[in-house]
Amino acid sequence: MVHFIKGDAFTFDPTTVAATTAAWMVSDVIAYPERVAELLETWCSNEWADYMVITVKFQGDKPAWSELNHAIHLAKSNGYNCRAKHFFNNKNEVTLMVSKKEDTTTAAATIGGGISNVDGKGWGLLGKAMYEVA
């Protein structure tokens, strides 16, 4: 079941509305990348969701790579996998797809009806990496 909750994304505490961890958190707030990183860190450090899709918006023509790398590092340091995707039509934003590390290869079978091993390559819910990440 999906719940839309209108309010301040940066002060929202999901434990006030549900006793269990949310499966998904989707965020498309208009905020500076530093604030979005704070939001990501709060959700990851508290393990409030198993999967997250979060947009990071930038000013100008190019993403602020250091801020984007910081957000990815925050997710990974809290036990999550994180992929960044720049969708063609969203010129000034990057979408972060985040999932708990232990769930990346089995989650798609549970959520997507048996697609955990996409094309037999074990890519899991986040798909195939476009670029190698050190």
Side-chain angles (χ1 to χ4, degrees):
M1 178 176 280
V2 175
H3 295 279
F4 172 79
I5 300 171
K6 186 176 181 178
D8 185 346
F10 301 101
T11 60
F12 175 69
D13 178 350
T15 62
T16 62
V17 293
T20 61
T21 300
W24 287 86
M25 186 274 275
V26 179
S27 171
D28 190 27
V29 297
I30 298 172
Y32 287 106
E34 300 87 11
R35 292 286 286 151
V36 175
E38 290 173 18
L39 178 68
L40 180 63
E41 182 175 30
T42 299
W43 277 76
C44 289
S45 65
N46 288 298
E47 296 183 354
W48 283 342
D50 296 327
Y51 309 97
M52 294 172 252
V53 179
I54 300 173
T55 57
V56 182
K57 297 175 183 352
F58 301 97
Q59 295 178 335
D61 295 335
K62 297 180 183 176
W65 295 112
S66 63
E67 293 162 353
L68 186 58
N69 284 330
H70 177 65
I72 293 168
H73 173 75
L74 287 172
K76 289 183 175 185
S77 67
N78 282 289
Y80 287 80
N81 287 310
C82 184
R83 282 269 162 78
K85 178 74 176 164
H86 182 229
F87 293 104
F88 178 76
N89 289 329
N90 299 337
K91 299 195 184 321
N92 292 343
E93 67 183 49
V94 171
T95 301
L96 298 179
M97 296 166 283
V98 181
S99 70
K100 282 190 176 176
K101 285 187 178 178
E102 65 269 13
D103 292 338
T104 56
T105 58
T106 59
T110 304
I111 295 169
I115 58 168
S116 65
N117 198 9
V118 178
D119 292 340
K121 297 179 182 170
W123 293 342
L125 187 63
L126 296 181
K128 179 182 175 192
M130 290 185 79
Y131 307 104
E132 290 299 319
V133 178

